Amino acid sequence: MIAKLGRLVASLPIPRHLRDGVEAAFVVVAPERHLKTDELLALANQHQPDGILMSLGMPMRAEHIAQLPASVRVLATTSVGYDHIDIAAANARGIVVCNTPDVLTDATADTHMLLLLGAARCAKAHVRNMDGGWKIRNGFFQGLGVDVTGKTMGIVGMGRIGRAVADRARGFRMPILYHNRNRLSPDLEAGARYFPSLDEMLPHCQVLSLNLPGGQGVLMTRERFAQLPKGAIFVNSARGSLVDEEALVEALKSGHLGSAGLDVFQKEPNFDTRLNDLENTFLLPHVGSATIETRTAMAELAIDGIVAVLSGRTPDNVVQA
Ligand code: GLV
């Protein structure tokens, strides 16, 4: 029998199709439901694991990291974003943190286009109509959205997901503008126009697309929404923390924004329901990466990260503070 690499505590249930592989590598303690941070900490202190598998939606701040047992050497989150983890605090205790980049790029970019199309084409009202048995018969000039094809898209954050969104948007013949910390090489830019200043890009964006990591404060303020052209569509599949939601509600109510497609919110799941009460929104419950293939690949990548660290290797998906 091959010796196990150590003990693994998970904050989420591990599905059957992954379980045998995980149990071959580790002594596994996995719950039947998603745990909250304090429940995970209690389980970790009870079982003294070498590795922890956790997910989004559970903060792991400095005060939580301080409560982890000394046995923990690696913490892997089944998400590309890691703004819920205090990386510096983890590293200071010698804990390596891994995430799940790349494998969710396509699924997230697909969801992003779903948000854009849903917002542009009044999908919420039409789905509600069908749910109600198609009681509203739209006249020729009723229930109309706006075209997406040919509209100019400004992308904030031209990393892997931003570029995958640009690829899809080009299929809709959308000219692409982007704002990023650094200008991309011409092959990655693929014809997109770079704006070193977000404020200078905003007036040109008929669609504004947020595709950057969270944890960098509020980017879309009242002033910035005001710089978008009237009728612009706002799409966010990145993080709710990047947006002043009060300002977003105002801009949608006034009609300055034509519509918004949102997968992420300041507070999840207790989001600001005024956003759903508005007719010109299309909302999803943070499901950017939620496909069978992608979630399986994310779990595998996170687990591979734990295997690598506990085998004395440095995996590619280590997050740097
Ligand atoms: C999703 O939001 C992720 O960070 O994986």
Side-chain angles (χ1 to χ4, degrees):
M1 201 175 96
I2 301 166
K4 302 211 181 196
L5 287 167
R7 195 176 285 269
L8 175 84
V9 162
S11 76
L12 63 158
I14 299 177
R16 196 65 264 159
H17 66 291
L18 292 175
R19 190 110 197 178
D20 289 349
V22 181
E23 283 177 351
F26 306 103
V27 175
V28 181
V29 180
E32 296 292 320
R33 59 173 175 83
H34 282 254
L35 301 182
K36 297 201 164 78
T37 305
D38 55 345
E39 296 171 314
L40 173 65
L41 291 173
L43 205 60
N45 280 290
Q46 186 187 344
H47 294 280
Q48 303 284 311
D50 305 274
I52 288 187
L53 181 71
M54 59 175 282
S55 57
L56 270 187
M58 58 165 357
M60 195 47 82
R61 307 280 169 229
E63 70 265 28
H64 306 127
I65 288 177
Q67 294 173 56
L68 286 171
S71 58
V72 177
R73 290 160 55 200
V74 52
L75 198 74
T77 179
T78 54
S79 58
V80 67
Y82 46 85
D83 47 321
H84 55 302
I85 304 176
D86 189 326
I87 309 294
N91 291 169
R93 283 201 59 186
I95 300 172
V96 176
V97 180
C98 302
N99 68 340
T100 61
D102 296 316
V103 292
L104 48 46
T105 299
D106 286 320
T108 307
D110 291 348
T111 303
H112 200 85
M113 297 312 282
L114 172 64
L115 293 169
L116 170 57
L117 291 167
R121 299 297 295 272
C122 317
K124 181 163 68 184
H126 297 313
V127 169
R128 194 174 50 222
N129 190 9
M130 295 311 280
D131 283 348
W134 200 345
K135 294 285 168 4
I136 300 168
R137 287 175 64 100
N138 282 312
F140 189 68
F141 279 111
Q142 287 172 330
L144 305 185
V146 294
D147 281 338
V148 164
T149 299
K151 293 254 152 70
T152 298
M153 176 185 271
I155 297 180
V156 188
M158 199 65 150
R160 290 170 285 237
I161 296 173
R163 296 199 300 275
V165 168
D167 283 347
R168 285 155 178 74
R170 284 188 195 97
F172 289 82
R173 300 197 294 280
M174 301 177 79
I176 310 294
L177 319 175
Y178 75 100
H179 169 70
N180 207 38
R181 233 181 341 211
N182 300 308
R183 184 167 184 170
L184 302 180
S185 59
D187 58 321
L188 293 182
E189 228 173 38
R193 179 170 165 212
Y194 179 56
F195 281 79
S197 151
L198 173 60
D199 294 302
E200 280 175 26
M201 181 175 86
L202 291 175
H204 306 283
C205 301
Q206 292 171 296
V207 174
L208 184 74
S209 176
L210 294 197
N211 299 104
L212 70 168
Q216 38 197 317
V218 175
L219 192 88
M220 286 312 294
T221 56
R222 182 167 285 105
E223 294 70 30
R224 287 209 164 120
F225 279 119
Q227 290 179 62
L228 288 167
K230 186 166 165 50
I233 303 172
F234 175 66
V235 187
N236 187 8
S237 63
R239 283 291 181 271
S241 58
L242 297 163
V243 178
D244 176 345
E245 282 185 348
E246 201 58 47
L248 174 59
V249 168
E250 277 172 28
L252 284 162
K253 266 192 180 158
S254 73
H256 179 70
L257 276 184
S259 57
L262 309 170
D263 186 44
V264 289
F265 304 86
Q266 283 267 356
K267 294 208 180 95
E268 298 177 6
N270 301 318
F271 76 108
D272 185 340
T273 53
R274 287 177 306 164
L275 285 164
N276 200 41
D277 297 338
L278 290 163
E279 274 304 290
N280 52 351
T281 58
F282 179 70
L283 310 183
L284 295 174
H286 203 149
V287 289
S289 63
T291 68
I292 295 166
E293 298 90 332
T294 296
R295 287 283 167 90
T296 299
M298 290 166 75
E300 285 171 347
L301 184 57
I303 291 161
D304 286 352
I306 299 177
V307 167
V309 173
L310 297 186
S311 309
R313 290 181 279 116
T314 303
D316 290 340
N317 54 329
V318 167
V319 171
Q320 306 295 345

